[in-house]
């Protein structure tokens, strides 16, 4: 059994490096919800790290050479932890949670439940809402795609609302937040940019309020702007 440490939820005044011999670097972008998920994990865990902003508006060939060498998929986020290079936000969360013992599962079964939610997020809310936000934020004229992603996003919010409506629990896996919550909540804090009012799903809205109440939580624009040029 792997127990989450009591200091997993830390405050801004107790920031630590995970290992002085293994500095941690995050490559991300201020508008990337996937970057925000990793930054939020580090923020809530009071883990010190170096941040490198990647301008995704530039041509891929013109992005920093160091980033292109590390990013096998040429996407953000990328985490470098010692000689370990990780890509894909949920894979990063899994590794860091296990390695740093932050926001991890309390049992083997709970770990499997976390995996389920991470895979669901990648194919559902982290896909549908992110694309809907992109279309509406940039004012793209893609009516068929907009309807498709809007319907998927609402279905995903229905699913999350049902999850919290059918039982007494504060977070996705139980009474403690895990990386499942950090992953699934990421883009929802940008829902208004997708013209989605999360208050229409009261159980989801209440869950997000509980996440906002975690010591150290910072909303996306403030957290990412604080570490961007």
């Amino acid at each position: 059994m792997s127990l989450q440490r009591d200091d997993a939820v830390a405050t801004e005044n107790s920031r630590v490096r995970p290992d002085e011999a293994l500095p941690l670097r995050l490559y991300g972008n201020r508008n990337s919800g996937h970057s925000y998920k990793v930054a939020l994990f580090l923020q809530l865990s009071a883990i010190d790290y170096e941040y490198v902003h990647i301008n995704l508006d530039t041509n891929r060939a013109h992005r920093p050479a160091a980033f292109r060498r590390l990013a096998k998929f040429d996407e953000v986020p990328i985490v470098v932890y010692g000689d370990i290079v990780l890509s894909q936000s949920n894979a990063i969360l899994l590794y860091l949670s296990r390695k740093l013992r932050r926001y991890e599962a309390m049992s083997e079964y709970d770990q499997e439940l976390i995996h389920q939610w991470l895979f669901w997020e990648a194919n559902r809310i982290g896909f549908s809402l992110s694309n809907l936000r992109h279309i509406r934020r940039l004012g793209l004229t893609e009516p068929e795609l907009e309807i498709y992603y809007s319907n998927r996003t609402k279905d995903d919010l229905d699913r999350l609302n049902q999850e919290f409506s059918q039982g007494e629990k504060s977070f996705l896996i139980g009474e403690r937040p895990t990386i499942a919550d950090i992953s699934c909540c990421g883009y929802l804090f940008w829902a208004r940019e997708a013209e989605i009012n999360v208050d229409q799903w009261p159980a989801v809205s209440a869950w997000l309020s509980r996440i906002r109440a975690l010591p150290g939580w910072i909303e996306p624009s403030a957290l990412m702007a604080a570490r961007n040029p």
Side-chain angles (χ1 to χ4, degrees):
M1 178 180 295
S2 180
L3 296 177
Q4 179 176 332
R5 293 181 357 186
D6 289 338
D7 63 350
V9 178
T11 65
E12 183 67 20
N13 294 327
S14 60
R15 300 193 71 81
V16 296
R17 273 202 177 278
D19 187 327
E20 289 297 337
L22 295 175
L24 193 152
R25 182 183 304 119
L26 168 64
Y27 292 84
N29 178 274
R30 67 174 64 86
N31 291 314
S32 163
H34 299 300
S35 298
Y36 174 65
K37 290 190 296 184
V38 177
L40 181 61
F41 168 84
L42 295 170
Q43 170 68 20
L44 293 176
S45 301
I47 299 296
D48 197 14
Y49 63 100
E50 176 189 355
Y51 183 82
V52 180
H53 174 68
I54 301 298
N55 184 355
L56 299 180
D57 293 329
T58 62
N59 184 282
R60 292 174 186 264
H62 297 152
R63 293 171 189 173
F67 170 75
R68 287 187 282 115
R69 284 195 300 271
L70 295 169
K72 67 169 67 177
F73 304 116
D74 205 18
E75 297 175 338
V76 293
I78 296 290
V79 159
V80 180
Y81 181 49
D83 59 356
I84 300 294
V85 179
L86 300 164
S87 60
Q88 302 299 307
S89 59
N90 287 339
I92 293 170
L93 290 177
L94 278 169
Y95 178 84
L96 292 180
S97 174
R98 182 173 62 251
K99 185 71 174 179
L100 305 177
R101 300 197 63 193
R102 301 294 203 270
Y103 293 95
E104 59 185 342
M106 297 187 68
S107 70
E108 184 176 351
Y109 177 64
D110 284 352
Q111 186 63 50
E112 294 308 312
L113 294 179
I114 287 175
H115 287 162
Q116 289 179 31
W117 280 111
L118 295 186
F119 297 154
W120 178 85
E121 187 275 344
N123 185 53
R124 297 299 310 192
I125 196 74
F127 173 75
S128 55
L129 181 54
S130 62
N131 280 288
L132 181 63
R133 172 180 175 247
H134 179 73
I135 289 172
R136 290 179 170 171
R137 181 170 168 265
L138 297 182
L140 303 180
T141 307
E142 299 283 355
E144 292 184 2
L145 281 177
E146 184 174 356
I147 292 171
Y148 171 73
Y149 288 126
S150 177
N151 289 339
R152 276 182 62 107
T153 297
K154 291 173 183 177
D155 287 345
D156 297 341
L157 286 164
D158 286 343
R159 178 64 192 86
L160 281 171
N161 205 69
Q162 179 186 19
E163 183 69 20
F164 287 107
S165 299
Q166 64 188 11
E168 294 291 332
K169 64 179 181 179
S170 299
F171 299 97
L172 286 171
I173 309 301
E175 291 309 303
R176 284 174 175 252
T178 68
I179 56 172
D181 300 281
I182 293 173
S183 175
C184 290
C185 80
Y187 271 102
L188 286 170
F189 290 117
W190 270 311
R192 291 196 180 277
E193 291 189 5
E195 300 174 22
I196 293 291
N197 182 3
V198 178
D199 291 341
Q200 294 178 9
W201 291 267
V204 174
S205 181
W207 166 60
L208 293 177
S209 293
R210 290 190 288 274
I211 293 175
R212 287 188 184 96
L214 295 175
W217 180 86
I218 299 179
E219 57 94 14
S221 60
L223 177 59
M224 304 308 289
R227 292 179 173 270
N228 275 284

